[in-house]
Amino acid sequence: MGMHEFQIIQSYFTSPPLRADLGVGDDCALFRVTQGHQCAVTSDMLVAGRHFFWDVDARTLGHKALAVNLSDLAAMGAEPLGFTLSLALPAVSEAWLADFSGGLLNLAREFNCDLIGGDTTKSVASLEHNGLVINITAFGQVPAGAAIRRDGARVGDDVWVSGTLGDAACALALLLRERSGEVLSVAEALALTALRPRLECPMPRVALGAALRGVASSMLDLSDGLAGDVRHVLQASNADVEIDCDALPLSSPLKNLNLEQECPLWHAWRDALTGGDDYELCFTAPVTQRDVLAALSIHVGVPLTRVGRVVEREGEAPNVLWRSENSPEGLVHMSEWRGYNHFS
Ligand SMILES: Nc1ncnc2c1ncn2[C@@H]1O[C@H](COP(=O)(O)OP(=O)(O)O)[C@@H](O)[C@H]1O
Ligand SMILES: Cc1ncc(C[n+]2csc(CCOP(=O)(O)OP(=O)(O)O)c2C)c(N)n1
Ligand SMILES: [Mg+2]
């Protein structure tokens, strides 16, 4: 006999809360927000075949489902408190559930946040789509008024990004080719090994996000790719932006593969700007904060790169002005570039 709904919840998704007053098991969970703080709430869903390959390692899938939500909390400068997990499962596999909940709860422990509830249902599987859907709603807290919103960018501010961009997109492109039966070159296989964790196991920039309170004027996390995501800041802040493509932070494996394949540099920029799944932070800050940011980058151990600046709005819609000395031919393509969009 397999496990039924309540045995699954009891065995894999119930653990004593670290900080909530009441966790899994009642009609609602109960938790407290520190006095003088606001509660930050965010929700992101992952769908098999759309956000991940259904046969991906369950441990990394559990990790990523929570990581993408903690990344949204980080992007507000919020500290994680807890989250709910809603699962539509095509079938019950105890080995899969053990791995999935292991990856999920490991990351939760790392950020001192509790799984406080959720919902477990049976989904409908089909041949091309195994029906697995994972939704997490995460709760955090931030000192009242200190959240870093999308609407605070001011003309003249610098635009910064954390870490490197395009690694996950490069890994995905290589994985798709491998899965379609192509044999990857040695250089490609090496790049895939190096970059795959960036796709499957992203680390949310929680400490960086909190450290940027009072420093950054606006912020968001990069889930769809900078070319699309930065427009949300421009929309909210009523400005345009100039991006210096030559300054984009690219990882060594991505750069090396680009060199090895003798591709024009703008091919790597396309991954970095349109590929998505980076889960790095993009923020704006006044020029006067440059020294503070250099020190803060060392303190939290995350590289920060200045990639552009906020400029006066020219037209009706937000506009990105791409700049490059190194690859002017790339600029021809960039005006068309956007981020990942589910219905475009
Ligand atoms: N179905 C929905 N109902 C209400 N709000 C939604 C829905 N889908 C998305 N949103 C909201 O729209 C905004 C943009 O969503 P999204 O682009 O997914 O943000 P993010 O990239 O941070 O996950 C967010 O405030 C989100 O909460
Ligand atoms: C199998 C597979 N196909 C495609 C992708 C790429 N991908 C899917 S959704 C997405 C963007 C992020 O997802 P979204 O639902 O838009 O997240 P949000 O912006 O709401 O955080 C990307 C880059 C992937 N990671 N795996
Ligand atoms: Mg979302």
Side-chain angles (χ1 to χ4, degrees):
M1 247 291 271
M3 296 186 106
H4 65 63
E5 181 182 336
F6 302 107
Q7 288 167 333
I8 294 171
I9 298 167
Q10 182 60 40
S11 300
Y12 296 106
F13 300 112
T14 306
S15 52
L18 299 168
R19 54 197 302 171
D21 293 334
L22 185 62
V24 171
D26 213 314
D27 298 306
C28 287
L30 299 170
F31 67 90
R32 252 173 264 212
V33 179
T34 306
Q35 206 171 17
H37 286 55
Q38 288 168 302
C39 185
V41 184
T42 181
S43 198
D44 263 320
M45 177 155 68
L46 300 186
V47 175
R50 176 67 54 200
H51 294 87
F52 59 90
F53 299 113
W54 67 270
D55 54 355
V56 71
D57 174 60
R59 186 163 267 279
T60 64
L61 183 60
H63 172 107
K64 183 166 177 175
L66 179 57
V68 302
N69 280 277
L70 297 186
S71 176
D72 280 311
L73 292 182
M76 295 298 278
E79 168 202 4
L81 293 172
F83 62 99
T84 63
L85 168 70
S86 295
L87 275 179
L89 294 170
V92 174
S93 153
E94 290 207 45
W96 188 92
L97 281 164
D99 286 348
F100 177 81
S101 66
L104 178 87
L105 295 175
N106 244 345
L107 187 67
R109 256 191 307 276
E110 197 166 324
F111 289 98
N112 192 28
C113 70
D114 293 314
L115 172 54
I116 56 172
D119 196 24
T120 305
T121 68
K122 186 167 184 178
S123 75
V124 181
S126 68
L127 270 182
E128 68 282 359
H129 167 48
N130 89 331
L132 176 58
V133 178
I134 307 160
N135 183 255
I136 287 184
T137 299
F139 305 86
Q141 66 177 10
V142 60
I148 309 170
R149 299 159 40 141
R150 295 177 176 187
D151 60 4
R154 295 291 169 262
V155 172
D157 284 356
D158 291 322
V159 179
W160 295 81
V161 295
S162 66
T164 56
L165 304 182
D167 296 331
C170 180
L172 177 63
L174 292 169
L175 261 182
L176 280 168
R177 285 179 41 211
E178 192 181 62
R179 291 176 70 95
S180 75
E182 261 187 72
V183 179
L184 299 182
S185 69
V186 172
E188 289 167 338
L190 278 173
L192 178 56
T193 303
L195 299 178
R196 197 169 176 156
R198 292 298 313 271
L199 174 70
E200 294 179 348
C201 213
M203 273 315 279
R205 303 294 198 185
V206 173
L208 174 64
L212 287 168
R213 294 197 298 252
V215 179
S217 52
S218 74
M219 180 152 68
L220 49 48
D221 70 321
L222 297 174
S223 53
D224 294 335
L226 183 89
D229 285 325
V230 77
R231 288 172 212 270
H232 299 310
V233 170
L234 303 181
Q235 180 77 42
S237 301
N238 193 31
D240 284 350
V241 76
E242 242 177 50
I243 299 289
D244 175 10
C245 298
D246 303 323
L248 290 172
L250 305 178
S251 70
S252 304
L254 182 59
K255 272 193 291 206
N256 290 344
L257 184 61
N258 187 264
L259 277 175
E260 176 85 25
Q261 298 185 320
E262 296 176 13
C263 284
L265 192 56
W266 63 268
H267 282 213
W269 293 345
R270 191 172 44 198
D271 281 351
L273 295 166
T274 72
D277 268 335
D278 295 313
Y279 303 103
E280 294 293 350
L281 296 180
C282 174
F283 59 95
T284 58
V287 175
T288 50
Q289 298 285 5
R290 285 182 189 176
D291 290 345
V292 171
L293 284 163
L296 189 152
S297 163
I298 292 166
H299 183 71
V300 296
V302 180
L304 298 178
T305 308
R306 191 150 50 82
V307 296
R309 64 189 188 101
V310 180
V311 298
E312 204 90 50
R313 171 68 69 80
E314 282 280 323
E316 274 291 298
N319 192 29
V320 182
L321 302 144
W322 303 105
R323 301 268 183 259
S324 168
E325 307 263 301
N326 291 347
S327 179
E329 75 280 13
L331 295 175
V332 181
H333 306 265
M334 286 173 198
S335 59
E336 305 297 319
W337 286 1
R338 295 292 184 275
Y340 191 94
N341 184 320
H342 284 286
F343 295 99
S344 76

